[in-house]
Amino acid sequence: MNKGALALLVHGGTENWSPERWKLRFDGVCGDRRVWLLPNGDCDPAEIHYAAVWKPAQGELAAFPNLRVIFNLGAGVDALMVDTSLPKVPLVRIAVSDLTFRMTEYVVLHVLMHHRQELYLRACQREKRWAPKVQWPASAISVGIMGLGTLGTNAAEALRHLGFRVSGWSRSAKEIAGVECFHGNGQIDAFLRRTDILVCLLPLTPDTRHILNRGLFARLNRNSSLGAPVLINAGRGALQNEADILACLDDGTLGGASLDVYAMEPLPADSRFWTHPKVVLTPHNAADTDADEISKYVARQIEHFEAGGALENVVDPARGY
Ligand code: NDP
Ligand code: OXD
């Protein structure tokens, strides 16, 4: 049987994510299926049944009349959701343990960094100053995670094992052992009120855009050992109002921030985030996933789908994630 061809449309990403490397990987895992790295003048659009994409241009996917499934090469599909011409076929996102565990590493690292006063201690080291401060136990700190999906749930469980008090907030009700779960707009105040370190692992949708703003920061707990609440955002840059974050760091509404994502990426050289003493910044690599794992995941799903099986991790277009 002539297997439907796979088109690769990959824009941006690190060196490891170069389009040519993706082509080599997919050639390696797709057996006798044709894999096209686009744009390629020889490719007949009608031959394409599957597309594996990262930040394709708007309208690019509408060119394939026989498309059956779109695979997004990352977890967040916000860049695709804004494409009004996106073909109405299943859109599958990445949810693999490699990505999940790397995100948990990032969250644990940054929660511990603030909890263990690392910014203060590194400043002391630079100044050759021996000035220990009181250190409190993990159980004194409440970490609140916005987004209790694949990533948020795993991070919550890891933090709970370290002894933090952990709560989470999602759209629908959840039950996670040892984690206090809140949901919906009706419970967000109760969630924020008990949160000392706020971790954002939400997807970007019309409902969540700019959710991280002054109004929300002002409702976080101000009575913890940390002195002032801390923000950690590894979801998407457009979840945050960046002017509000800077103003809240300056006036003490926030005591610190770890940011992995920004409204504009790469972060412009003149952004105050680069030099702000209360900001720990990373270049959108909180969970830089193993690309070999991703290509195997896509190839496996295509085989399964062609054998009549169900696709995994299909995005709900109505929810936008
Ligand atoms: P999931 O879809 O598994 O989880 C999303 C969670 O957010 C769910 O718990 C969902 O609630 C909740 N949620 C969505 N909308 C709302 C809302 N309006 N109010 C309250 N809760 C809401 O996604 P993942 O955990 O896999 O990934 C989350 C995001 O992380 C991605 O969309 C992406 O933007 C980002 N990401 C960033 C990376 C990085 O390197 N910085 C790497 C990978 C992902 P419910 O459970 O009720 O549906
Ligand atoms: C993703 C990301 O969504 O890398 O997977 O941000």
Side-chain angles (χ1 to χ4, degrees):
M1 189 184 87
N2 189 12
K3 292 181 166 182
L6 170 69
L8 303 178
L9 296 105
V10 186
H11 301 290
T14 55
E15 192 198 337
N16 201 28
W17 277 53
S18 75
E20 295 71 26
R21 290 219 189 164
W22 279 111
K23 167 86 168 100
L24 284 175
R25 280 185 200 106
F26 276 109
D27 279 339
V29 294
C30 279
D32 55 357
R33 187 183 309 284
R34 295 245 271 185
V35 178
W36 290 100
L37 179 58
L38 298 187
N40 183 317
D42 294 336
C43 169
D44 172 7
E47 189 196 337
I48 302 298
H49 287 185
Y50 308 99
V53 305
W54 184 243
K55 299 187 178 161
Q58 292 215 17
E60 221 175 342
L61 284 160
F64 307 113
N66 298 320
L67 198 60
R68 294 188 185 159
V69 186
I70 302 168
F71 294 91
N72 183 52
L73 293 174
V77 293
D78 43 290
L80 289 169
M81 287 291 115
V82 292
D83 184 349
T84 49
S85 68
L86 196 72
K88 295 196 180 349
V89 299
L91 167 61
V92 171
R93 68 188 198 92
I94 299 297
V96 292
S97 53
D98 175 74
L99 190 161
T100 304
F101 295 161
R102 292 189 200 210
M103 181 59 88
T104 293
E105 284 178 9
Y106 169 89
V107 172
V108 169
L109 172 71
H110 287 265
V111 167
L112 287 175
M113 195 179 296
H114 295 283
H115 159 62
R116 295 302 299 246
Q117 308 174 85
E118 274 295 309
L119 292 184
Y120 166 77
L121 291 169
R122 288 319 113 221
C124 289
Q125 182 178 352
R126 280 193 298 277
E127 294 158 16
K128 299 187 179 162
R129 205 152 49 84
W130 185 274
K133 272 192 186 178
V134 170
Q135 184 62 55
W136 47 84
S139 58
I141 299 297
S142 273
V143 183
I145 303 185
M146 298 181 91
L148 282 177
T150 309
L151 303 181
T153 300
N154 194 263
E157 284 168 349
L159 290 166
R160 182 172 58 77
H161 286 302
L162 288 175
F164 289 99
R165 287 186 268 134
V166 184
S167 61
W169 182 71
S170 51
R171 205 177 44 85
S172 56
K174 298 258 177 295
E175 270 186 42
I176 305 171
V179 176
E180 201 175 344
C181 294
F182 299 85
H183 69 278
N185 290 336
Q187 295 187 357
I188 192 166
D189 278 352
F191 163 76
L192 295 172
R193 221 175 10 249
R194 53 109 65 211
T195 295
D196 307 325
I197 299 181
L198 182 70
V199 177
C200 182
L201 291 173
L202 286 169
L204 176 63
T205 69
D207 289 339
T208 60
R209 181 173 291 275
H210 287 175
I211 193 168
L212 302 174
N213 57 43
R214 179 180 278 282
L216 180 136
F217 304 144
R219 288 179 278 157
L220 293 165
N221 181 31
R222 307 201 54 75
N223 300 315
S224 80
S225 307
L226 290 170
V230 165
L231 168 69
I232 299 175
N233 183 19
R236 280 289 182 266
L239 294 166
Q240 65 201 15
N241 179 325
E242 300 194 338
D244 279 7
I245 294 178
L246 286 163
C248 287
L249 288 167
D250 290 342
D251 70 14
T253 303
L254 287 175
S258 285
L259 304 174
D260 184 59
V261 287
Y262 311 90
M264 194 180 289
E265 296 180 6
L267 184 64
D270 63 357
S271 168
R272 279 187 63 216
F273 285 144
W274 286 111
T275 49
H276 199 290
K278 294 183 182 171
V279 173
V280 185
L281 177 160
T282 46
H284 196 149
N285 71 344
D288 215 1
T289 321
D290 180 347
D292 290 338
E293 284 299 309
I294 295 180
S295 41
K296 284 184 211 149
Y297 164 91
V298 171
R300 182 173 51 76
Q301 287 231 45
I302 293 177
E303 290 297 323
H304 190 61
F305 176 73
E306 288 190 340
L311 294 163
E312 294 162 29
N313 303 308
V314 178
V315 170
D316 176 347
R319 291 185 326 190
Y321 67 95

